[in-house]
Amino acid sequence: MIEFEHVVKDYNGITAVDDISLELSAGKICVFIGPSGCGKTTSLRLINRMIEPSSGTIRLDGTPVSKIKAEQLRRGIGYVIQSVGLLPHMSVRENIGIVPRLLGWDRNKRAKRADELLELIGLAPAAYRDKLPHELSGGEAQRVGVARALAADPPVLLMDEPFGAVDPLGREALQREFLSLNRELKKTVVFVTHDLDEAIRLGDRIVLMRDGKIVQDDIPERILGTPHNEFVREFIGADRALKRLSCFTVESCMHQAAVLEQALLEDGKPPADLEVNGTGTLWIVDAGAVPVGMCRRSDGKWGDVRDVRAEELGVKTLSSLRDALSRLLGRGLKAVPVLSDGNRLVGEVRLTDIEAVNQSDGYV
Amino acid sequence: MYSLVQDQASARERFRARMLMGSADIVSPVLLVIGIGIFLWLAANPAQLEALLRFAFPGRSSYLYERASLLALLGEHLVLVAVSATAAAVFGISLGILVTRPAGRDFLGIVRDLSSLAQTFPPVAVLALAVPALGFGFQPAVVALFVYSILPVINNTISGLVAVPPDIVEVSRGMGMTRVQILFRTELPVAARVIIAGVRTSVVINIGTATIGAVVGAGGLGAVIISGLVRDNYALVFTGAVSAAVLAFTADWCFARLERRFYSARSDRS
């Protein structure tokens, strides 16, 4: 557990961290986020004494960090930075072995540990252990950076925008991997980022900072759902509504769909006197209730039946509303089918449903 | 200012590379050993050397330096160079490290300027100044060579250390290295190639300049050259000059090989 108690850091009259008190629970990922200059990186670096506080106390499992020799403290805390900082003259194996070597492990033990970690981060030890950093791709270097931080099995990891320099696709992969890795390892992680999506994806808890102060400290859903003030609202951005849609499942707001069995079509069209409510969309299904076509009614007439492929168009009951919205907009439709397992039609989600959810929270 | 100095240094490097160093890539160890073998054989067999020189410079009264054998002079020359260059390397690298530490940063500019200034003194002038203090012989020559050889070592040590990416130093600190560990495990290995390139330049300059040591009686290959100049005997000038050149080329070749064993920032970016 990491505790901040009235921690202040002044730089020549500028207060980078202004009286912060926090308790970070063990085994969780806590994300510090905020605009640049908000003090998030400073707060992180205070933990391993890369920076000393002007006043206040930081405790690691109850012991004030100022009581531990800086080098010794740092050897017990994993540290990952944005530029990775693999030592360019050392092989991957030597890089991973840096902290173990500082701790006096012998060569064999270091080599074994490096192979173990390469395996863990999904890089084949035989192919990677002797490579030099410049032979690695950005994503591979980041993985090795994480492996290096884990080398001596520290209980705490400090990560300062560790995936910031990787392209968006690679970043998502790294985030996914890291999340599942930490589910297993249960490290106490302090993570700094300026990317809200990353914070939402990774954080068990998000600490939003501004001008050295904590503005809101909450679980991701509540940061998005009930922002404390105008600043939080602004920070989570114009697309906060979109982000918030990630928190709702399709199931929670779907409607009954108008359905017609394929066999009942007359000359390839629905019966002219068939009326439907809602968006005027009729789903044509086969005998197994799998959607195979759709038809729109406008001005009291049926249009042509369009073939659809259920798995391409439909969303699952547990998909997020954000997924549903993406499909609605992508296809230019007023509604998309909701499918259960086996692609059976169980309902539809309409554009109007999403609008309704969006307005329900009162901050549009 | 650093980048300017570095640009000049790298331009000099490139020029040197075209003129001479390219040879480090071309000349294989086999050819080098054969060349050195022939040279040493001639140095050890004055009769054959004389025959060769007689062929090249016909009609001279004498072809050999009588007061000492070429091998002995070569040995003197090597000692002169080894002592002064080692001292310059140790002193230059230490000073370069000191002025790039937080405590020594204030002196970085002045050390650079002073070492550049030292380079502008003609070595003969340094000799002339050293003789009244140290007398004739080995000592003033070593001092002059030392002063003259420091610049490339200091410059390259500073350039190399300043160019170590700050994030690498930062992460080394963050992993729990002490200052000394950061210096020896991170900074010096990353800067090693540039530093060794400085020592290489310093040694090559030193070998050439050491011929002037003969003026104050320090011996070495310069003795042959000066004797030849005094007696208007180009066979002797040629012998001394070629010997020094062989020595310089060999040293340069060895350092080029040594350099390549170290990490290069250039290969990092390719």
Side-chain angles (χ1 to χ4, degrees), chain B residues 131-213:
Chain B
V131 166
L134 299 163
F136 277 90
F138 184 72
Q139 283 176 5
V142 166
V143 169
L145 289 175
F146 168 77
V147 170
Y148 207 62
S149 315
I150 285 177
L151 172 81
V153 181
I154 287 187
N155 260 356
N156 278 38
T157 303
I158 293 174
S159 302
L161 288 174
V162 167
V164 174
D167 59 312
I168 291 176
V169 175
E170 152 90 5
V171 90
S172 299
R173 197 161 83 92
M175 285 188 292
M177 288 193 199
T178 61
R179 282 185 179 192
V180 175
Q181 284 167 334
I182 294 173
L183 177 65
F184 283 98
R185 295 188 189 186
T186 301
E187 291 180 278
L188 284 177
V190 172
R193 199 164 167 140
V194 179
I195 296 174
I196 290 169
V199 176
R200 172 179 169 186
T201 309
S202 155
V203 168
V204 171
I205 291 176
N206 192 315
I207 290 172
T209 311
T211 51
I212 294 169

Side-chain angles (χ1 to χ4, degrees), chain B residues 6 16 23 29 42 45 59 79 81 85 90 109 112 121-122 128 164 169 177 188 191 205 207 242:
Chain B
Q6 269 169 359
R16 216 173 47 154
S23 52
L42 283 172
N45 294 277
V79 171
V81 169
V90 170
R112 267 199 133 132
F121 277 107
V164 174
V169 175
M177 288 193 199
L188 284 177
I205 291 176
I207 290 172
V242 166

Side-chain angles (χ1 to χ4, degrees), chain A residues 45 50 75 79 83 134, chain B residues 167-168 170 173 176 185 268:
Chain A
R45 288 156 57 89
M50 295 295 277
R75 287 170 198 176
Y79 189 48
S83 59
H134 73 89
Chain B
D167 59 312
I168 291 176
E170 152 90 5
R173 197 161 83 92
R185 295 188 189 186
D268 209 28

Side-chain angles (χ1 to χ4, degrees), chain A residues 55-285:
Chain A
S55 69
T57 316
I58 296 166
R59 289 194 192 83
L60 189 62
D61 289 327
T63 315
V65 291
S66 56
K67 295 274 186 290
I68 309 170
K69 202 171 159 251
E71 280 84 21
Q72 201 186 336
L73 174 77
R74 292 178 195 142
R75 287 170 198 176
I77 296 178
Y79 189 48
V80 188
I81 59 174
Q82 180 177 356
S83 59
V84 198
L86 294 181
L87 302 198
H89 59 290
M90 289 185 182
S91 68
V92 165
R93 188 197 335 222
E94 288 168 325
N95 262 291
I96 295 176
I98 290 174
V99 178
R101 191 172 155 211
L102 292 171
L103 294 170
W105 297 17
D106 66 47
R107 185 180 293 270
N108 281 338
K109 197 174 165 198
R110 295 201 305 260
K112 218 177 121 221
R113 180 63 179 157
D115 282 2
E116 233 173 74
L117 283 163
L118 283 172
E119 202 83 64
L120 189 69
I121 56 168
L123 300 177
Y128 282 92
R129 62 165 83 97
D130 293 322
K131 283 197 178 190
L132 286 171
H134 73 89
E135 298 172 292
L136 302 174
S137 74
E140 287 166 350
Q142 283 296 353
R143 285 183 182 85
V144 174
V146 172
R148 182 173 65 177
L150 292 169
D153 205 16
V156 177
L157 276 187
L158 306 181
M159 308 179 85
D160 190 357
E161 305 205 20
F163 309 138
V166 184
D167 62 277
L169 260 180
R171 193 183 314 158
E172 271 196 53
L174 284 168
Q175 289 164 350
R176 261 200 315 276
E177 282 171 30
F178 179 69
L179 209 52
S180 71
L181 188 68
N182 203 49
R183 221 156 258 164
E184 206 177 305
L185 300 175
K186 299 211 167 45
K187 302 290 181 196
T188 308
V189 180
V190 183
F191 195 106
V192 164
T193 183
H194 60 257
D195 174 357
L196 187 62
D197 287 318
E198 185 166 69
I200 294 168
R201 217 167 282 146
L202 295 181
D204 292 310
R205 173 177 174 187
I206 294 177
V207 176
L208 178 56
M209 295 181 67
R210 178 204 199 181
D211 297 337
K213 290 197 172 74
I214 296 172
V215 184
Q216 187 166 358
D217 171 10
D218 231 324
I219 57 173
E221 293 90 308
R222 277 210 292 271
I223 292 257
L224 292 169
T226 50
H228 275 185
N229 60 26
E230 197 55 39
F231 169 74
V232 181
R233 214 168 285 172
E234 241 170 62
F235 183 79
I236 55 187
D239 61 343
R240 65 184 183 272
L242 196 58
K243 290 188 176 101
R244 191 164 163 274
L245 287 180
S246 306
C247 304
F248 296 89
T249 61
V250 163
E251 207 174 28
S252 66
C253 64
M254 69 182 185
H255 279 77
Q256 226 179 352
V259 186
L260 185 70
E261 255 198 72
Q262 206 170 11
L264 299 175
L265 289 175
E266 297 167 355
D267 295 334
K269 288 211 171 189
D273 56 346
L274 183 69
E275 298 252 358
V276 294
N277 294 327
T279 58
T281 306
L282 179 69
W283 301 103
I284 318 291
V285 297

Side-chain angles (χ1 to χ4, degrees), chain A residues 305-335:
Chain A
V305 172
R306 280 159 60 188
D307 290 339
V308 300
R309 290 163 57 96
E311 61 273 21
E312 270 180 23
L313 186 63
V315 292
K316 299 282 182 189
T317 48
L318 290 180
S319 300
S320 72
L321 281 187
R322 192 175 178 163
D323 276 353
L325 181 64
S326 162
R327 289 189 196 223
L328 283 165
L329 297 179
R331 301 275 166 163
L333 297 174
K334 299 257 187 252

